[in-house]
Each structure stands twice: as C-alpha cells, then as structure tokens.
Amino acid sequence: MNIFRLAGDLSHLAAIIILLIKIWKTRSCAGISGRSQVLFAIVFITRYLDLFTNFISAYNTAMKVFFLGSSIGTVYLMYLKFKATYDHNHDTFRIEFLLLPTALLSLVLNHEFSVMEILWTFSIYLESVAILPQLFMVSKTGEAESITSHYLFALGSYRGLYILNWIYRYYFEGFYDIIAIVAGCVQTILYCDFFYLYITKVLKGKKLQLPA
Amino acid sequence: SKAQEPKDEL
C-alpha cells in the first residue's frame, strides 16, 4: 500500500458516500445516471468474486464489501425506492455499446484465459467506460447539481490517483499491470473536460453549466 | 505474462 493508492481508495469511498448522501438527503436521484450505477455494480460484482477465496487484508475485504453493498444499494435506491425521481428521459446512453465491446476485448486481451482472470479483465475494461452514461446525461441536461459535480470529481480523481500509485509501484516494487494502467488512463482521460469545468466553475461557486 | 496473483488492488 502507498499514499497514492490510499488516497485513491479514500477518494473512491468519498465519491460513493457523497452520492448516497445526495440521494438520501434530497430523496431524489435527479441528474444521476442509473445506467452508470448499474455498470458500476457489474464492475464490482465481476471484480470482487474472489472476496471469499482471496484474503488480502481486513482493509481490502472491508472496502470490497462496502463497494459491493453501496453500488447494489444505489441501484436499489434509484430503480426502486426513488424510482419516481429517476430521470429516464435524459439517461439514454446505450450501455450495450459498452458491455459488448468490453466483454469481447476481455476475451481477447487478457493475462490468462481463465474465468476469474477474464471476469477481472472485463471489470477493468468496463470500469474505464462506466461513467460515459453519466457524462452523457450531464451533457444532455446541460448542467449538474454541485453535489453531483463533487461526486464526479471524487470519482474521477480516484483512478487518476491510481495512476500515480502504478508509477510508484513500478519504480519501487517493479510491479505493473499494463491492462489496469491503460484502462485507468482511458478512464481518467474521459473526465478531463469535466475536470476543467469543475475547476474553472464549480470551485468558483458557479453551477456546472455545459455549453449546450 | 502470468496474471499477477493475488490481485491486491481494489
């Protein structure tokens, strides 16, 4: 463990907590893409199947349990409990265009052709594009509540911090995983225009408005 | 390369 990975995990944890607070406090999931949340739940389910077979540390297990529970819980809140506030009309990104290519790619480009390894690879590829429905929804509505933009900033930062972690591990541990690194860079790059808007607008107290 | 086991990152 290193400071970059810890900061990344905490940023990821913060993002999920901010989202849960937003939905619970406002009792609404307006502006949130349910499709992205479904993709995140798939990412965690396919990645943490080794939860009971591979004990790494109490921290690792606790975080996996929290990420699994919160992502499934968020889908429940969005599609069942606060269903009436879910914005179907703006959450229209075709997620099959994300699921199929990443599934095929994980069958072709992986470290080892085994069930667990392919599911892990699929989860890595899917996570890199899972935010697209959310970013698409923000561009369609043309704006986002400030708490939603804080959620996106924390979520985008987490994988950016993981890139620093991979650089650190390469130089100090000689460890690197090219699949995680490439997917992590793609994932972080997708947030670039949002990061620009967040830093130039939201941090100055303005609302996040996308040029229509 | 053989998959890096065990995967210790979240």
mmCIF file of all heavy atoms in Angstrom, chain A residues 187-206:
data_model
loop_
_atom_site.group_PDB
_atom_site.id
_atom_site.type_symbol
_atom_site.label_atom_id
_atom_site.label_comp_id
_atom_site.label_asym_id
_atom_site.label_seq_id
_atom_site.Cartn_x
_atom_site.Cartn_y
_atom_site.Cartn_z
ATOM 1 N N GLN A 187 -9.855 5.843 -18.545
ATOM 2 C CA GLN A 187 -10.907 6.244 -17.599
ATOM 3 C C GLN A 187 -10.686 7.676 -17.127
ATOM 4 O O GLN A 187 -11.616 8.491 -17.098
ATOM 5 C CB GLN A 187 -10.871 5.279 -16.405
ATOM 6 C CG GLN A 187 -11.882 5.548 -15.326
ATOM 7 C CD GLN A 187 -11.943 4.400 -14.324
ATOM 8 O OE1 GLN A 187 -11.525 3.286 -14.615
ATOM 9 N NE2 GLN A 187 -12.463 4.673 -13.150
ATOM 10 N N THR A 188 -9.442 8.004 -16.792
ATOM 11 C CA THR A 188 -9.140 9.338 -16.262
ATOM 12 C C THR A 188 -9.253 10.392 -17.363
ATOM 13 O O THR A 188 -9.774 11.482 -17.130
ATOM 14 C CB THR A 188 -7.725 9.337 -15.645
ATOM 15 O OG1 THR A 188 -7.664 8.297 -14.658
ATOM 16 C CG2 THR A 188 -7.408 10.665 -14.980
ATOM 17 N N ILE A 189 -8.818 10.036 -18.554
ATOM 18 C CA ILE A 189 -8.897 10.985 -19.684
ATOM 19 C C ILE A 189 -10.351 11.374 -19.975
ATOM 20 O O ILE A 189 -10.651 12.533 -20.287
ATOM 21 C CB ILE A 189 -8.208 10.379 -20.936
ATOM 22 C CG1 ILE A 189 -6.688 10.372 -20.734
ATOM 23 C CG2 ILE A 189 -8.595 11.137 -22.208
ATOM 24 C CD1 ILE A 189 -5.932 9.521 -21.737
ATOM 25 N N LEU A 190 -11.262 10.417 -19.795
ATOM 26 C CA LEU A 190 -12.681 10.715 -20.070
ATOM 27 C C LEU A 190 -13.205 11.835 -19.171
ATOM 28 O O LEU A 190 -14.193 12.498 -19.490
ATOM 29 C CB LEU A 190 -13.538 9.455 -19.864
ATOM 30 C CG LEU A 190 -13.378 8.343 -20.905
ATOM 31 C CD1 LEU A 190 -14.249 7.145 -20.541
ATOM 32 C CD2 LEU A 190 -13.745 8.859 -22.293
ATOM 33 N N TYR A 191 -12.549 12.037 -18.010
ATOM 34 C CA TYR A 191 -13.028 13.068 -17.077
ATOM 35 C C TYR A 191 -12.417 14.438 -17.371
ATOM 36 O O TYR A 191 -12.805 15.424 -16.760
ATOM 37 C CB TYR A 191 -12.655 12.699 -15.639
ATOM 38 C CG TYR A 191 -13.527 11.652 -14.995
ATOM 39 C CD1 TYR A 191 -13.284 10.307 -15.210
ATOM 40 C CD2 TYR A 191 -14.599 12.002 -14.167
ATOM 41 C CE1 TYR A 191 -14.059 9.338 -14.610
ATOM 42 C CE2 TYR A 191 -15.385 11.033 -13.565
ATOM 43 C CZ TYR A 191 -15.107 9.706 -13.785
ATOM 44 O OH TYR A 191 -15.886 8.743 -13.182
ATOM 45 N N CYS A 192 -11.456 14.500 -18.310
ATOM 46 C CA CYS A 192 -10.674 15.741 -18.468
ATOM 47 C C CYS A 192 -11.539 16.974 -18.660
ATOM 48 O O CYS A 192 -11.383 17.974 -17.962
ATOM 49 C CB CYS A 192 -9.696 15.593 -19.633
ATOM 50 S SG CYS A 192 -8.265 14.644 -19.126
ATOM 51 N N ASP A 193 -12.507 16.898 -19.581
ATOM 52 C CA ASP A 193 -13.292 18.123 -19.829
ATOM 53 C C ASP A 193 -14.147 18.441 -18.611
ATOM 54 O O ASP A 193 -14.362 19.606 -18.271
ATOM 55 C CB ASP A 193 -14.137 18.007 -21.095
ATOM 56 C CG ASP A 193 -15.152 16.899 -20.990
ATOM 57 O OD1 ASP A 193 -14.913 15.968 -20.206
ATOM 58 O OD2 ASP A 193 -16.191 16.983 -21.650
ATOM 59 N N PHE A 194 -14.583 17.391 -17.902
ATOM 60 C CA PHE A 194 -15.342 17.660 -16.671
ATOM 61 C C PHE A 194 -14.428 18.311 -15.631
ATOM 62 O O PHE A 194 -14.807 19.282 -14.965
ATOM 63 C CB PHE A 194 -15.947 16.375 -16.114
ATOM 64 C CG PHE A 194 -16.443 16.542 -14.707
ATOM 65 C CD1 PHE A 194 -17.643 17.191 -14.453
ATOM 66 C CD2 PHE A 194 -15.656 16.131 -13.646
ATOM 67 C CE1 PHE A 194 -18.071 17.410 -13.149
ATOM 68 C CE2 PHE A 194 -16.077 16.337 -12.332
ATOM 69 C CZ PHE A 194 -17.288 16.981 -12.087
ATOM 70 N N PHE A 195 -13.209 17.784 -15.500
ATOM 71 C CA PHE A 195 -12.269 18.350 -14.514
ATOM 72 C C PHE A 195 -12.059 19.847 -14.807
ATOM 73 O O PHE A 195 -12.059 20.684 -13.906
ATOM 74 C CB PHE A 195 -10.921 17.633 -14.575
ATOM 75 C CG PHE A 195 -10.884 16.311 -13.846
ATOM 76 C CD1 PHE A 195 -10.112 15.257 -14.330
ATOM 77 C CD2 PHE A 195 -11.626 16.111 -12.687
ATOM 78 C CE1 PHE A 195 -10.064 14.035 -13.652
ATOM 79 C CE2 PHE A 195 -11.588 14.891 -12.013
ATOM 80 C CZ PHE A 195 -10.804 13.860 -12.497
ATOM 81 N N TYR A 196 -11.941 20.166 -16.098
ATOM 82 C CA TYR A 196 -11.707 21.572 -16.479
ATOM 83 C C TYR A 196 -12.885 22.428 -16.016
ATOM 84 O O TYR A 196 -12.713 23.455 -15.359
ATOM 85 C CB TYR A 196 -11.528 21.681 -18.001
ATOM 86 C CG TYR A 196 -11.476 23.117 -18.476
ATOM 87 C CD1 TYR A 196 -10.324 23.884 -18.294
ATOM 88 C CD2 TYR A 196 -12.598 23.726 -19.057
ATOM 89 C CE1 TYR A 196 -10.275 25.217 -18.696
ATOM 90 C CE2 TYR A 196 -12.565 25.046 -19.452
ATOM 91 C CZ TYR A 196 -11.413 25.794 -19.272
ATOM 92 O OH TYR A 196 -11.374 27.111 -19.650
ATOM 93 N N LEU A 197 -14.098 21.954 -16.328
ATOM 94 C CA LEU A 197 -15.302 22.718 -15.942
ATOM 95 C C LEU A 197 -15.407 22.797 -14.419
ATOM 96 O O LEU A 197 -15.761 23.824 -13.853
ATOM 97 C CB LEU A 197 -16.553 22.048 -16.517
ATOM 98 C CG LEU A 197 -16.732 22.193 -18.015
ATOM 99 C CD1 LEU A 197 -17.842 21.275 -18.523
ATOM 100 C CD2 LEU A 197 -17.026 23.632 -18.376
ATOM 101 N N TYR A 198 -15.080 21.697 -13.748
ATOM 102 C CA TYR A 198 -15.213 21.675 -12.290
ATOM 103 C C TYR A 198 -14.272 22.705 -11.661
ATOM 104 O O TYR A 198 -14.672 23.509 -10.812
ATOM 105 C CB TYR A 198 -14.856 20.280 -11.763
ATOM 106 C CG TYR A 198 -15.015 20.125 -10.267
ATOM 107 C CD1 TYR A 198 -16.250 19.870 -9.691
ATOM 108 C CD2 TYR A 198 -13.920 20.248 -9.417
ATOM 109 C CE1 TYR A 198 -16.389 19.730 -8.317
ATOM 110 C CE2 TYR A 198 -14.052 20.120 -8.041
ATOM 111 C CZ TYR A 198 -15.286 19.863 -7.501
ATOM 112 O OH TYR A 198 -15.423 19.736 -6.135
ATOM 113 N N ILE A 199 -13.041 22.730 -12.146
ATOM 114 C CA ILE A 199 -12.043 23.618 -11.540
ATOM 115 C C ILE A 199 -12.319 25.075 -11.911
ATOM 116 O O ILE A 199 -12.232 25.975 -11.079
ATOM 117 C CB ILE A 199 -10.624 23.177 -11.962
ATOM 118 C CG1 ILE A 199 -10.290 21.860 -11.242
ATOM 119 C CG2 ILE A 199 -9.576 24.249 -11.634
ATOM 120 C CD1 ILE A 199 -9.109 21.128 -11.793
ATOM 121 N N THR A 200 -12.740 25.328 -13.149
ATOM 122 C CA THR A 200 -12.952 26.713 -13.563
ATOM 123 C C THR A 200 -14.304 27.248 -13.102
ATOM 124 O O THR A 200 -14.499 28.449 -12.998
ATOM 125 C CB THR A 200 -12.887 26.836 -15.093
ATOM 126 O OG1 THR A 200 -13.849 25.931 -15.646
ATOM 127 C CG2 THR A 200 -11.502 26.487 -15.624
ATOM 128 N N LYS A 201 -15.281 26.357 -12.828
ATOM 129 C CA LYS A 201 -16.610 26.879 -12.474
ATOM 130 C C LYS A 201 -17.024 26.519 -11.051
ATOM 131 O O LYS A 201 -17.212 27.365 -10.209
ATOM 132 C CB LYS A 201 -17.670 26.329 -13.455
ATOM 133 C CG LYS A 201 -17.548 26.919 -14.849
ATOM 134 C CD LYS A 201 -18.777 26.649 -15.706
ATOM 135 C CE LYS A 201 -18.660 27.369 -17.045
ATOM 136 N NZ LYS A 201 -19.750 26.978 -17.966
ATOM 137 N N VAL A 202 -17.135 25.225 -10.798
ATOM 138 C CA VAL A 202 -17.734 24.813 -9.520
ATOM 139 C C VAL A 202 -16.904 25.339 -8.349
ATOM 140 O O VAL A 202 -17.426 25.813 -7.348
ATOM 141 C CB VAL A 202 -17.858 23.264 -9.451
ATOM 142 C CG1 VAL A 202 -18.449 22.843 -8.121
ATOM 143 C CG2 VAL A 202 -18.735 22.772 -10.601
ATOM 144 N N LEU A 203 -15.588 25.317 -8.505
ATOM 145 C CA LEU A 203 -14.742 25.763 -7.379
ATOM 146 C C LEU A 203 -14.862 27.270 -7.186
ATOM 147 O O LEU A 203 -14.438 27.827 -6.194
ATOM 148 C CB LEU A 203 -13.286 25.337 -7.600
ATOM 149 C CG LEU A 203 -13.039 23.824 -7.497
ATOM 150 C CD1 LEU A 203 -11.566 23.512 -7.501
ATOM 151 C CD2 LEU A 203 -13.692 23.256 -6.234
ATOM 152 N N LYS A 204 -15.451 27.953 -8.201
ATOM 153 C CA LYS A 204 -15.649 29.400 -8.025
ATOM 154 C C LYS A 204 -17.098 29.673 -7.609
ATOM 155 O O LYS A 204 -17.615 30.772 -7.778
ATOM 156 C CB LYS A 204 -15.300 30.124 -9.325
ATOM 157 C CG LYS A 204 -13.799 30.049 -9.624
ATOM 158 C CD LYS A 204 -13.381 30.938 -10.776
ATOM 159 C CE LYS A 204 -11.879 30.951 -10.907
ATOM 160 N NZ LYS A 204 -11.422 30.334 -12.185
ATOM 161 N N GLY A 205 -17.759 28.600 -7.157
ATOM 162 C CA GLY A 205 -19.117 28.783 -6.640
ATOM 163 C C GLY A 205 -20.179 28.858 -7.717
ATOM 164 O O GLY A 205 -21.350 29.030 -7.448
ATOM 165 N N LYS A 206 -19.742 28.676 -8.982
ATOM 166 C CA LYS A 206 -20.772 28.715 -10.034
ATOM 167 C C LYS A 206 -21.370 27.317 -10.206
ATOM 168 O O LYS A 206 -20.770 26.317 -9.817
ATOM 169 C CB LYS A 206 -20.145 29.164 -11.364
ATOM 170 C CG LYS A 206 -19.704 30.614 -11.403
ATOM 171 C CD LYS A 206 -19.163 30.948 -12.815
ATOM 172 C CE LYS A 206 -18.171 32.115 -12.768
ATOM 173 N NZ LYS A 206 -17.018 31.872 -13.665
#
